[in-house]
Amino acid sequence: MSSPNSKKKSGLALYTQAAEASSAVVIDKYSTSFGWATKLLGKEDRHHVRNIYALVRVADEIVDGAAAEALSGAIGVDPHSMLDKFEQETYRAVECGFSTNLVVHAFAHTAREAGIKRDLIQPFFHSMRTDLFQRVHDKRSFEAYIYGSAEVVGLMCLQVFLSRISVRDEEKAEFVAGARALGAAFQKVNFLRDLSADFDKLGRSYFPLIRVENFNNSERDRLVDDIRNDLNTSKVALAKLPSSSKRAVGAALMFFEALNNKVAGTPANELIKKRIRVSDPQKIFILLKAMFGVSPK
């Protein structure tokens, strides 16, 4: 017997609702800061941003997390083929509007609604695939990796935020620059606080010419300043975002600005030994500031 609620929705609408609920679980389990920030988004944007994050998270788990752990346990998981199949299923779902993979289905729904095309999806998967074979980056490969792994995610979210409003070309260019800068800042902060783990556990060195064994305060300061420049660029666009997204993006920006400042105050020899984080009370304080309209300065 069908439940009363199921009769109110078409089969596809109910399936999409279930898919989006699964994406919300992914973000709640994997990112406290980002999960809290999305709660400040307008209702019309919130589920779409969660759908984007969930796809990104699952792809990351294929190349770094759960899949790699399963492979080490001799279960026979091949991350290369899994990522290929995941990517192709994403394209297929965006084209037809359905996937048996709930996270992919939710993302495809968002992509179709917001107009997210392959020109943003493909660079993301390219960067994820890079993690499977490239251990050291030069300036060119690092910039390409940052674009694909982080900047395009910011651009996908921007596509959601601007999908219901009209903007002039010059305004769009400013928004694009801000979204790319914010995505880059998020990724670089994560790289900086995960230096030791990336090097020791994954055998990777993302920052060009940076090695854990000779990392020093001068190099830390250079990287921190670069991140601050990205954050300052993103603040220009933040001020002009629609009200439905401004508070949430502001909260996320302040979370990572606080994290970057904490990294800046940590000696290099300690930074390579422990993962720096912002305390939950500080996160709550930042969230409250954003909730009441306080913007990062």
Side-chain angles (χ1 to χ4, degrees):
M1 181 180 294
S2 300
S3 68
N5 287 337
S6 64
K7 294 178 180 178
K8 297 177 183 178
K9 292 180 178 292
S10 70
L12 180 60
L14 185 60
Y15 184 82
T16 299
Q17 185 182 57
E20 292 187 327
S22 73
S23 292
V25 171
V26 172
I27 190 171
D28 286 342
K29 292 295 183 182
Y30 279 96
S31 179
T32 303
S33 300
F34 200 64
W36 286 358
T38 60
K39 295 182 188 302
L40 296 182
L41 286 167
K43 185 177 180 181
E44 62 274 20
D45 291 340
R46 191 181 309 137
H47 62 292
H48 286 313
V49 171
R50 287 172 173 168
N51 294 346
I52 292 169
Y53 177 87
L55 184 93
V56 169
R57 184 70 251 176
V58 171
D60 193 59
E61 286 300 307
I62 291 173
V63 300
D64 280 349
E69 187 177 334
L71 178 61
S72 69
I75 297 176
V77 176
D78 177 11
H80 295 267
S81 62
M82 288 185 70
L83 188 66
D84 288 345
K85 291 176 182 177
F86 192 64
E87 180 179 11
Q88 292 307 314
E89 177 63 15
T90 300
Y91 296 145
R92 193 192 69 80
V94 171
E95 182 178 347
C96 75
F98 181 82
S99 174
T100 56
N101 182 316
L102 290 175
V103 166
V104 171
H105 180 86
F107 174 82
H109 172 68
T110 288
R112 290 164 67 89
E113 288 275 316
I116 297 170
K117 306 296 185 184
R118 189 178 288 217
D119 63 330
L120 295 182
I121 303 170
Q122 194 165 32
F124 168 73
F125 279 104
H126 175 75
S127 285
M128 291 298 97
R129 190 166 287 104
T130 298
D131 274 338
L132 294 173
F133 65 86
Q134 188 161 356
R135 294 292 180 254
V136 178
H137 286 271
D138 57 21
K139 184 176 184 295
R140 182 176 180 179
S141 67
F142 176 73
E143 290 176 351
Y145 184 88
I146 289 290
Y147 175 73
S149 67
E151 292 182 23
V152 296
V153 179
L155 292 173
M156 290 179 193
C157 293
L158 179 66
Q159 196 77 12
V160 170
F161 301 154
L162 302 184
S163 61
R164 293 176 308 281
I165 64 173
S166 298
V167 295
R168 300 190 304 275
D169 289 344
E170 58 270 25
E171 290 178 319
K172 181 69 178 290
E174 195 169 63
F175 282 132
V176 166
R180 291 185 60 177
L182 191 56
F186 288 177
Q187 187 69 293
K188 291 173 187 176
V189 171
N190 283 329
F191 286 164
L192 189 48
R193 72 169 178 173
D194 287 338
L195 272 178
S196 181
D198 285 338
F199 189 81
D200 293 337
K201 296 178 182 178
L202 301 175
R204 296 188 195 131
S205 178
Y206 286 103
F207 291 112
L209 305 178
I210 295 293
R211 299 293 179 269
V212 171
E213 60 268 23
N214 53 21
F215 186 66
N216 56 47
N217 289 343
S218 177
E219 289 177 325
R220 176 207 61 195
D221 292 344
R222 177 173 62 82
L223 296 175
V224 164
D225 286 345
D226 179 53
I227 292 166
R228 283 176 175 156
N229 287 336
D230 285 334
L231 290 171
N232 287 336
T233 297
S234 68
K235 289 175 185 178
V236 176
L238 171 67
K240 299 180 180 180
L241 279 175
S243 58
S244 59
S245 56
K246 184 183 298 184
R247 292 183 302 166
V249 176
L253 194 159
M254 287 189 282
F255 282 146
F256 279 85
E257 189 167 50
L259 182 58
N260 194 45
N261 289 339
K262 194 163 185 178
V263 167
T266 303
N269 62 343
E270 292 183 25
L271 195 59
I272 62 173
K273 296 177 182 177
K274 62 182 181 181
R275 192 172 194 266
I276 306 302
R277 65 183 299 275
V278 176
S279 68
D280 285 347
Q282 187 175 3
K283 289 178 183 178
I284 292 171
F285 178 66
I286 290 171
L287 198 68
L288 288 172
K289 285 170 60 178
M291 189 182 301
F292 288 103
V294 178
S295 297
K297 302 190 183 301

